[in-house]
Amino acid sequence: MQWLSQWLVDHLLLGVLVLTRLSMVLLALQTIGTAIPKRIAVLLAISITAVVLPSVAAQPSVTAPAISGLPDLLIAVAHEALIGLLIGATIQLIITGIQMSGEIISSTGGMQLGQSTDPDTGQQIPTMSRLVGLLVTAVMLASGGHRLILDALMESFRQMPPGQVVIGDSMIDLIIDQLTAGMIAGIQVAAPVVAALLLTNLITGLISRTIPQINVLAIGLSVNALALLVVTALTIGSVGLIFEDELSRAAERLAQIW
């Protein structure tokens, strides 16, 4: 046990930096981080750090960070936090962008009153948006997305060891690209439903011009709700396909950054 205690003392600073990067990944992934209690999240971060620390410390490129004082330590921790936030935000922006499709569908179909509380932000969001967010999370866990995130984290440790982080403009470009990709993915998911709703509105308008005696408002709302539910049920599977595609692209972009 003495050698283990000595090893932990020698790698204490390295463990703090690894824990910081890993914790920021979990913090940036609000979809996962807010779904579990805080104590469990802290225990999970410490457990994963204990598992990956020996492999990180054994890498030839990893050396003891040159920390001469508290300012250097704070700078090193801040750099690790930025890298962790970059990895987590890259994935979270895709989830948020696809979740935006639920808001587009709800606003187009006139279902803004059907809202629920989002535990990620504590705000009221459309129920359809919440449904899409839960579906994306389930697809990510079922398709091994959590393993892909861990692979990206371990690759960052290999290419950019703790204490040797360099912040570049390419990281800012990655965030902008992921924000754009997330919005495009959300529009792709919502496009079939929005097109169907616009078509039903056009048909309802033609009926109202042909038969003015019909209560267009009552009929239009019913037809819109029916079209929304039917088309959403037929196209909801595209959420998983689009998310898997964007997730693999995000992993490739992260690999290019390192």
Side-chain angles (χ1 to χ4, degrees):
M1 294 299 293
Q2 184 176 1
W3 67 269
L4 179 59
S5 301
Q6 185 62 36
W7 188 89
L8 292 175
V9 171
D10 296 338
H11 296 84
L12 178 61
L13 179 57
L14 182 64
V16 171
L17 298 179
V18 172
L19 178 62
T20 301
R21 187 182 300 190
L22 176 60
S23 300
M24 289 301 103
V25 172
L26 296 177
L27 181 62
L29 281 171
Q30 297 182 358
T31 305
I32 299 177
T34 56
I36 56 179
K38 299 299 182 183
R39 295 181 180 179
I40 303 299
V42 172
L43 181 61
L44 178 63
I46 295 176
S47 301
I48 298 177
T49 301
V51 172
V52 304
L53 181 58
S55 61
V56 173
Q59 297 176 12
S61 58
V62 176
T63 57
I67 304 297
S68 59
L70 182 60
D72 292 339
L73 177 60
L74 294 178
I75 292 175
V77 170
H79 284 174
E80 296 296 327
L82 288 176
I83 295 299
L85 288 174
L86 175 68
I87 298 174
T90 300
I91 309 301
Q92 182 61 39
L93 285 175
I94 301 175
I95 299 175
T96 304
I98 295 180
Q99 195 172 6
M100 181 187 68
S101 64
E103 299 184 7
I104 297 176
I105 294 173
S106 298
S107 60
T108 306
M111 299 182 64
Q112 297 90 336
L113 296 179
Q115 295 186 347
S116 60
T117 303
D118 184 11
D120 299 341
T121 60
Q123 299 178 354
Q124 295 290 326
I125 62 172
T127 304
M128 187 65 65
S129 180
R130 181 62 180 156
L131 173 64
V132 173
L134 292 175
L135 179 60
V136 169
T137 303
V139 170
M140 181 179 65
L141 296 177
S143 62
H146 55 292
R147 292 193 296 270
L148 191 147
I149 296 173
L150 290 177
D151 289 341
L153 179 64
M154 295 303 298
E155 183 67 19
S156 71
F157 284 132
R158 286 190 290 267
Q159 302 297 333
M160 196 173 292
Q164 305 177 28
V165 175
V166 178
I167 306 299
D169 295 337
S170 58
M171 298 180 182
I172 304 299
D173 296 336
L174 175 62
I175 294 297
I176 296 175
D177 292 341
Q178 287 303 114
L179 180 61
T180 304
M183 295 180 65
I184 293 175
I187 293 174
Q188 289 176 342
V189 173
V193 183
V194 173
L197 292 175
L198 292 178
L199 181 61
T200 56
N201 289 334
L202 177 61
I203 294 175
T204 303
L206 293 176
I207 293 176
S208 66
R209 297 288 294 180
T210 305
I211 310 175
Q213 296 83 3
I214 296 179
N215 189 350
V216 180
L217 181 60
I219 295 178
L221 291 177
S222 301
V223 172
N224 280 349
L226 180 61
L228 186 149
L229 295 176
V230 171
V231 179
T232 300
L234 294 175
T235 61
I236 196 66
S238 64
V239 174
L241 298 177
I242 293 175
F243 175 72
E244 289 184 8
D245 187 29
E246 291 297 331
L247 187 61
S248 61
R249 292 180 183 177
E252 294 176 358
R253 295 189 184 106
L254 282 173
Q256 293 174 359
I257 288 294
W258 313 137

